Amino acid sequence: MIMIMFPFRQQVAEAENATFFTKEELNILKSAFERGGMENVKCLLKRKVEELDQTELNIAVMGEAGAGKSTFINAMRGLQSDDPGAAEVGIFRPTMEPTGFPHPNFPKVQYWNLPGIGSRQFPACTYFKKMKFEKYDFFIIISACRFKENYVKLAREIKRLGKKFYFVRTKIDADFDSMRKGRLAINEERELECIRNSCCKNFREAGILTPSVFMISSFEQDRYDFNRLTEALEDDLPNAKKSIFVMAYPNRSVEIIQKKKKILQKRIWMLATLSGAVGAVPVPGLSAACDIGILIVAIIHFRKCLGLDEASLQRLANITNIPVEELKAKVKVPLLGKIDVDTFIRLGWSITITVVSNLEVGLYSIPVLGSIFGAGSSFLMTYNLLTNALKDLTENTETIMKIVFDIN
């Protein structure tokens, strides 16, 4: 069992830092392997992969009409106001019911624009029940003006439910522009701190001692507190929801791309283990066919997460006014178009797959040894090929980002 146990134990060690595995789940994996070997592990990992793909994230965004909720929702999804599926902006009319806006690549990640509290249609006494607060993972309270008592009511109910809220003061860039019209110069850092302290003071006086307060501009995401806000949202999410939030976040820095790579690398060892479990089944040719299927699905998923799919590149072209064909020309890896067996042949991957598959056929006639080699070789082949593919895709994503956003 040495060849099969070594890859799996190595994988479990790598998974210790995975964002979507709890310590309890890792212990279950180890116990399952000790009791029933790869077959038990395969079932658990397959279930986990399916769970990750079905993870939902519902984010409530609240505030008065004109506060910048729609612009914020679009920014978090990497959309311009005229992109398909974008939240409508510029029309200041009250939201009359919770409206969900799914992420274009990850539809199970939804930002919900909720009606404002305290209006004639939505009095505070019935608001929380009508809005079904229980369904949301966390809440973002948007304000573009002075602090209001309704913000405290929202915060108290959210805290009562044991959930997190984040108070976001939007349109800071517009505030500073207005200040400059009446002064020769302003100290932005000092003004930001003053606004933040005022908001925190209002919450503390209402008994909310540690509020999370952020000053942002949805149009200038590299300034003020926008990055601090997204980091806080990420840090406060559990396991699988954290990974899907990172994947759904627009590529605005090399750091974000590296975060995505790290999470996807953790996914690779699960897929490689599934490949190894299939490789342990003594049916000649089955391993190579299943390995290729795993490779195709994984690479398509990598492209979507890294923003290298067709739709993501088109959205990036719209934002930067660079033709999409020009963006594609900057990508030096042949993994952007259709992915099939012919793609692997062009890349020379088929040689590796064929050699391993032929070795498996020869060894399957030897009891026990054939299954051991099948699991070990299939794991290593899938792991190495997907790791190299992820490396190439990540490097090309970084190249595009550095060019279009002038990132050093």
Side-chain angles (χ1 to χ4, degrees), residues 1-7 372:
M1 294 292 289
I2 293 177
M3 292 185 67
I4 189 171
M5 289 176 68
F6 171 71
I372 292 174

Side-chain angles (χ1 to χ4, degrees), residues 169-230:
R169 179 71 160 73
T170 59
K171 303 185 180 182
I172 290 297
D173 52 336
D175 288 342
F176 285 162
D177 287 342
S178 297
M179 290 179 188
R180 290 188 182 95
K181 291 178 181 179
R183 312 181 198 178
L184 293 176
I186 63 171
N187 185 318
E188 288 193 356
E189 287 298 323
R190 187 165 57 206
E191 295 293 342
L192 284 173
E193 194 63 22
C194 181
I195 298 171
R196 186 182 293 108
N197 288 339
S198 175
C199 293
C200 289
K201 179 175 178 289
N202 285 318
F203 277 117
R204 283 195 290 267
E205 288 177 350
I208 300 170
L209 302 181
T210 56
S212 298
V213 177
F214 302 89
M215 314 287 110
I216 73 162
S217 163
S218 293
F219 295 110
E220 299 183 67
Q221 297 170 31
D222 57 338
R223 301 183 65 189
Y224 315 122
D225 291 342
F226 207 105
N227 289 334
R228 285 185 57 247
L229 171 62
T230 56

